[in-house]
Every structure is written in structure tokens, then in C-alpha cells.
Amino acid sequence: MGADLARQDREQNERVALTRTMDKQAGANPPKMRFFLVDRSIPALEPEPGSMLLLRADGTWGFIVPCEVLADEGSPEVSKEVFVSTVAALSGSMPGMS
């Protein structure tokens, strides 16, 4: 039980940190970033049209062809909150962060 609470607390802290970082990176005039879950579980980020990043199993981000995600009904667009929660649960970080 204590381990579950510690994990939930860590994930919540990671969600808050990821959200703050994303907001900071967006600046005053944020571009329309879009968020996806490839195969309903793997985070993908479209920071600008025509460019997409996919969270790899090792926690790094790699480029993916956007049309492959956009054409796949099994890879829905999700809210920023769902995206951040999923990245945190997978112990990932936002691209460009160490």
C-alpha cells in the first residue's frame, strides 16, 4: 500500500513538472500542439504540423511519420492532461529535457 502511494505521489509530481515545462516552452504565443496515444498507449506529440515525436521504450523521443498516426483510428488525439499523465506514468520526460 505504501509503495502504491509513493508511486502515485511520484507520478503526480512528474505530471505537474511536465505541465509546467510544456507551458514554459510554449511561451506567450503557444503553437497548437497536438497530443496522441499511438495504439492507445504510447505518447506521441505533434509540436507543429508535419512534425511528430514518439516516446520510445527507453524513454527517449524519436521522430515518427505523422500521417501514420493521423490515419490510424487506434491512435486517438487526447487532451494535454491525458498525454502528461501517460508520459509521467511511463517515467518519460518532455523532448529537450534531461
Side-chain angles (χ1 to χ4, degrees):
M1 173 119 177
D4 283 341
L5 291 175
R7 180 185 53 77
Q8 289 173 354
D9 188 48
R10 186 189 86 247
E11 288 177 3
Q12 176 63 24
N13 290 339
E14 289 172 353
R15 282 192 292 272
V16 170
L18 286 169
T19 300
R20 285 183 183 159
T21 300
M22 289 175 65
D23 291 343
K24 186 177 176 182
Q25 287 175 346
N29 295 315
K32 174 69 170 111
M33 277 196 271
R34 295 171 60 191
F35 310 98
F36 298 86
L37 290 181
V38 174
D39 294 332
R40 301 195 189 283
S41 62
I42 305 166
L45 170 68
E46 184 184 49
E48 58 188 43
S51 175
M52 191 170 285
L53 300 169
L54 179 74
L55 183 63
R56 296 178 181 151
D58 66 0
T60 62
W61 292 86
F63 288 98
I64 187 171
V65 179
C67 65
E68 293 178 8
V69 176
L70 299 173
D72 182 9
E73 290 181 17
S75 300
E77 184 170 359
V78 297
S79 69
K80 178 180 174 180
E81 293 77 17
V82 169
F83 177 83
V84 168
S85 292
T86 305
V87 170
L90 295 172
S91 298
S93 62
M94 290 305 299
M97 295 174 51
S98 46

